[in-house]
Amino acid sequence: MKFPKLRPRRLRSNENIRRLVRETKLSIDDLIYPIFVRYGENIVEEMQSMPGVFRYSVDKVVDAVKEVRDLGIPAIILFGIPEHKDEVGSDTWSEQGIIQRALREIKKHVPDIYVITDVCFCEYTIHGHCGVLRGNTVDNDLTLENLKKQAISHVENGADMLAPSGMMDGMVQAIRSALDSAGYYHIPIMAYSAKFASSFYGPFREVAESAPAFGDRKSYQMDPANAREALKEVLLDVEEGADIIMVKPALAYLDIIAKVREVTLLPVCAYNVSGEYAMIKAGGRLGWIDEQKVMLETLLSIKRAGADMIITYFAKDVAKMINKGLL
Ligand code: PBG
């Protein structure tokens, strides 16, 4: 059978029938909102390259988290900017570390939001790399030892889930076994499994003060040209005990999301990163694109590609639209 008997437009003729046949839907349930917490007091500062995204001092972060909770968003992912950086990033496992202090405040005042922590070192080291340097390169296995300390400390202070993002080999297994031996067998790991060495992280590095002082991250983050290797990383993380798999960035990597969806039964998370956010904001401000519509189409495409959940700086905007019935 073919045209004129077959006419796909029949199922597009009005919004009611389009609703009935719609295959993908965005929901507040899918969203994770990133929150940046920094040293100092009484600080709420908007980021120049990410309008609508703020950094909060610990005394101000609770109100920000309450807003997210009140919008119905289930989870946040926390990033920290410490006062003092050092060679190894020791703030990440200190009781007085920026993340530890933020976790205690958030858990005390907003116990009903799910808190994921980004587990990495680049915001905490003088050199801005994601681990311990030996010569000019990040030493994988020394970094694993510090990752374990960081992971345990986050959980002791209230983290509900850990998201290691440093792309060290064996990081999921190292953290899983550290958690299990400390009795934290119930804490899940969301692995940044396929994290690419991407220029779309530009604005984040300004916000998190985490740009590498020399070189780049290509010796640990993945080559954007490689899809098969992304699947290898994912399968390794599944074996190492990951509970959720992440692909990052999202937009230029929709093919990776779709492929990952096919090779694992685990939930897949996509990180709609800072550069993706900044481009849409900028285009909207210039009047060159419709910011809201492009935002929705972008997030929908990430879901359609196969993501179960999305980390996005747009989470609050989307939640507001959904709550107003605009979606
Ligand atoms: C590393 C980390 C980065 C991002 C999240 N975790 C930066 C990097 O790898 O350089 C980027 C997030 C974004 O661009 O929105 N701690």
Side-chain angles (χ1 to χ4, degrees):
M1 268 219 301
K2 58 179 174 38
F3 181 82
K5 274 198 169 153
L6 276 191
R7 290 178 180 271
R9 287 185 56 188
R10 287 183 197 122
L11 297 183
R12 291 178 211 144
S13 60
N14 64 49
E15 181 55 13
N16 283 333
I17 183 64
R18 288 194 294 270
R19 281 170 60 200
L20 286 170
V21 301
R22 189 159 290 144
E23 297 173 31
T24 315
K25 228 180 213 161
L26 267 180
S27 146
I28 298 181
D29 299 339
D30 308 326
L31 305 171
I32 301 170
Y33 187 64
I35 295 235
F36 297 95
V37 51
R38 54 157 288 169
Y39 60 89
E41 257 175 72
N42 200 24
I43 297 167
V44 176
E45 52 180 0
E46 189 169 16
M47 299 291 90
Q48 216 191 340
S49 54
M50 297 180 74
V53 172
F54 297 81
R55 301 199 299 197
Y56 307 92
S57 50
V58 173
D59 56 315
K60 291 288 180 188
V61 79
V62 165
D63 283 344
V65 176
K66 279 186 180 156
E67 187 197 352
V68 177
R69 189 262 326 263
D70 292 346
L71 285 166
I73 296 167
I76 57 170
I77 180 164
L78 267 190
F79 295 94
I81 301 106
E83 183 155 22
H84 300 293
K85 302 184 186 226
D86 60 22
E87 277 298 320
V88 293
S90 62
D91 191 90
T92 58
W93 62 80
S94 157
E95 271 301 288
Q96 287 312 311
I98 185 73
I99 289 293
Q100 287 77 358
R101 290 195 292 128
L103 279 169
R104 295 195 291 268
E105 276 298 293
I106 293 168
K107 279 290 149 181
K108 184 166 156 203
H109 297 286
V110 205
D112 50 344
I113 192 131
Y114 195 84
V115 184
I116 306 166
T117 55
D118 183 77
V119 177
C120 196
F121 293 103
C122 53
E123 299 107 288
Y124 305 86
T125 51
I126 292 165
H127 44 75
H129 280 286
C130 301
V132 183
L133 284 189
R134 184 142 59 169
N136 271 352
T137 182
V138 176
D139 186 289
N140 195 86
D141 296 12
L142 285 178
T143 301
L144 293 185
E145 293 310 308
N146 289 348
L147 273 175
K148 293 187 209 169
K149 288 193 271 186
Q150 180 180 170
I152 296 287
S153 179
H154 284 187
V155 175
E156 280 172 352
N157 284 282
D160 294 302
M161 186 193 283
L162 301 179
S165 65
M167 288 300 280
M168 294 300 120
D169 293 336
M171 68 181 182
V172 171
Q173 181 178 305
I175 291 173
R176 183 71 271 156
S177 61
L179 291 177
D180 289 354
S181 5
Y184 297 127
Y185 41 77
H186 57 291
I187 298 290
I189 296 174
M190 175 154 76
Y192 284 73
S193 303
K195 178 175 178 182
F196 291 86
S198 168
S199 300
F200 285 96
Y201 307 149
F204 174 95
R205 291 182 185 171
E206 178 211 324
V207 176
E209 296 174 7
S210 67
F214 65 88
D216 51 41
R217 302 206 203 291
K218 290 181 186 166
S219 78
Y220 39 103
Q221 297 181 352
M222 282 192 50
D223 184 338
N226 292 358
R228 266 190 340 250
E229 190 187 356
L231 301 184
K232 177 175 86 177
E233 285 280 8
V234 166
L235 295 177
L236 283 174
D237 282 353
V238 172
E239 272 187 52
E240 289 182 25
D243 299 279
I244 298 175
I245 296 298
M246 196 200 299
V247 175
K248 175 183 174 188
L251 254 198
Y253 299 86
L254 293 178
D255 58 326
I256 308 289
I257 296 172
K259 288 189 167 122
V260 168
R261 174 67 294 155
E262 307 249 297
V263 300
T264 176
L265 298 176
L266 297 186
V268 176
C269 176
Y271 199 139
N272 175 221
V273 301
S274 57
E276 301 170 14
Y277 177 84
M279 287 195 305
I280 293 176
K281 283 281 171 189
R285 291 197 163 196
L286 284 165
W288 291 353
I289 55 170
D290 180 325
E291 180 187 319
Q292 279 200 337
K293 287 188 178 149
V294 173
M295 163 187 88
L296 292 175
E297 190 174 330
T298 299
L299 294 172
L300 189 70
S301 75
I302 295 169
K303 266 209 93 174
R304 193 193 61 233
D308 299 285
M309 62 194 95
I310 308 173
I311 300 176
T312 178
Y313 304 97
F314 287 119
K316 289 194 291 186
D317 298 345
V318 182
K320 282 176 197 159
M321 290 183 73
I322 294 176
N323 287 334
K324 279 191 200 141
L326 295 174
L327 208 112

